[in-house]
Each structure stands twice: as structure tokens, then as C-alpha cells.
Amino acid sequence: MHRMESTSQTSLFERLKESLDSLRKSERKVAELVTEDPTFVMESSMSAVAARAGVSEPTVMRFCTGLGFDGFQAFKLALAQALILGVPSVESAMNRGDSVAELASKIFDQTISSIDRSRRFLDLDQMEQAVTAILGSRALVFIGLSASGLIAQDALQKAQLFGIPCSAPSDTHQQFMAAAMTDPETTFVVISNTGRTRSTMRVAEMARSRGATVIGISGDDDTPMMRVCDVKIVAKTFENTDIYTPTVSRLAGLVVIDILSTAVSLRRGEAHFADFEAMKAGLAGYARMSDRETDSGSASFD
């Protein structure tokens, strides 16, 4: 597996997030302080951290050793490294009493760190396989519902420039019909952040049974949908879809589509570039003509 960079030094906040439910109530107070004000913790003594969290110093020490560190100083060193590499993001850090300014800061931090996490976990070998599959296809079909449906529609807009038939049916019956009537020269791109949307799973299964190549885009590779995909693209984010609308996962999915569409476009050769430039020139001329007709009031309507 070829990822963009190592994750060994950037896993502290992920480990902290995963351990929240298993921590004692007193240790959870320390964890909440770390996520809400990591700079304070990094710059403070153990006694100062204990006082602000409202716990004892031994509790702070248990919290650090429970995460696998030799002590408080080792934890602070890891925290400093994590802050250098990227801001933390834990959904529970957002509170109902937060001001707009506080929420803006936290949401920006969450978005930035989530996109960075997607970048670090992105499997470039799978991305390469996806580009190769699309380049060898005679047709493309993008499948997604709700927020994933928005990603599918964005993908359709970009893929229409590839010069091959493309579609992104939004109705679940139409999606299944497209899969049931497909062939081995078609590639399906199925999108679901959870990887558990039943209708999307059924479309992926049907398309693959008909010989089509199926590319999956999801937040996890170990899901029912991804298990039936030929190519698995994982866009990991810090996001709890049980609480929040999946905005960050949608952004990560859009970035993945941007990478795929750019890579495909750049590899389609000189003839494709000539067609693309001709299309842009024609579109610009059409826009100028439409503007003149609107300004002069001469636009006609059928």
C-alpha cells in the first residue's frame, strides 16, 4: 500500500478520540482539556494541567500511561509533534454554549485536520488503478445518494469532459437499472461515506456481476459496499455522521474526484487537449452571444 506519507507521528489525536469511551470519568476530563486547548497542555506543568482539568496529578499520569506513554513529558513531546503536523479535531469538543467565533475556529480546525487526514491515508496505488480503469472505459456511471449524491453530480460535471458517455442517475431504481444493463466496458464509481447504504451496495453488486469495473469511494475500506468493489479509495475524515451532517466527508470526496478527473484529463493525450480547447473557445463564444442577446432584449423563447 502506497500512502502519501507516514502516519506514525500523527496518530495521537486519533488514538485519543478512539479511547474516549473507555476512559474513566476523571481521565476523560484530561482528554477534553487536551482536545479543547492542546497548546495549554503542551506548555504547562502536570500540576497546572491537573488543576485546570479539576483532577489529581496521578490522574493526569494515568491518562498519559493509558495512552502508551512513559509519563507526562513523553506525552507532551508527542503532543507537540502532533500540533506541528496538524491541528486536532474531535467532534465532542464542540459545545452548545460555544459562540459563533468559537464554532468557526473549531469547524475550520476540524475541516483542515480532516482533509489532512484524508491526504495522509490516501492509497495512491488504488488511485492509480482507478485512473487506469477510467481511461480504459467506454462509459462511466456515478452512483451516490444524499451527500454522496452531490459528489456524484460533481463527478459527472467533470467527467463529461472526458469525451465518453457519462451519467449519474439520482433515482435508486434508475441506478439499479443502469447496473443491470451494463457491460464490461463500463466503469461504475459508487460513493458512500459509511459504505453501508443498501441501495448503493446492491448497485455495486449488480454492476460487478455484469462484468463492469466498480470503483468505491468511502470513509472505510472494511464495509459491505467496499468488499464488492474492484478498486477501493478510502477518504478518512474526523467525522461522526450520527451527530453531524457529513460536510467534511463530502469535501474529502470532492477532493478525491478532483484528483481522479485531473489525472484522467492529463493522460488522455493531445487529441483530447485539442478537443478541450475547442470546447472552451466555443463555450466562451456562446456565453458572449447570450450576454449580447440578453442586453439587447432580443433573446427568444420557444
Side-chain angles (χ1 to χ4, degrees), residues 59-123:
T59 296
V60 176
M61 182 61 73
R62 281 199 309 272
F63 165 78
C64 296
T65 55
L67 288 176
F69 296 97
D70 293 336
F72 182 64
Q73 292 302 320
F75 172 77
K76 288 210 303 180
L77 177 60
L79 179 61
Q81 292 173 332
L83 286 174
I84 291 172
L85 292 168
V87 292
S89 175
V90 179
E91 294 89 346
S92 61
M94 295 184 191
N95 304 303
R96 292 184 178 182
D98 286 344
S99 67
V100 172
E102 290 170 328
L103 286 174
S105 177
K106 290 178 180 180
I107 290 172
F108 267 111
D109 284 350
Q110 177 186 341
T111 302
I112 293 168
S113 58
S114 288
I115 294 299
D116 178 67
R117 188 188 196 207
S118 296
R119 178 181 184 272
R120 291 185 284 105
F121 276 89
L122 189 64
D123 188 334

Side-chain angles (χ1 to χ4, degrees), residues 115 118 127 134 140-160 162 166-170 175 188-195 197 200 215-219 225 233-237 239 241 245-261:
I115 294 299
S118 296
M127 291 292 287
I134 294 172
L140 282 172
V141 182
F142 299 95
I143 302 295
L145 292 176
S146 190
S148 296
L150 297 177
I151 301 173
Q153 293 300 320
D154 180 75
L156 174 63
Q157 184 178 21
K158 293 178 171 64
Q160 286 173 338
F162 295 166
C166 301
S167 65
S170 57
Q175 291 175 351
F188 273 67
V189 181
V190 294
I191 308 164
S192 171
N193 182 54
T194 63
T197 305
T200 305
I215 299 171
I217 301 177
S218 182
M225 184 193 80
I233 298 175
V234 178
K236 284 185 177 291
T237 58
E239 189 159 58
T241 56
T245 301
T247 302
V248 174
S249 62
R250 190 189 318 162
L251 291 175
L254 291 171
V255 172
V256 167
I257 293 298
D258 275 347
I259 296 169
L260 290 175
S261 62

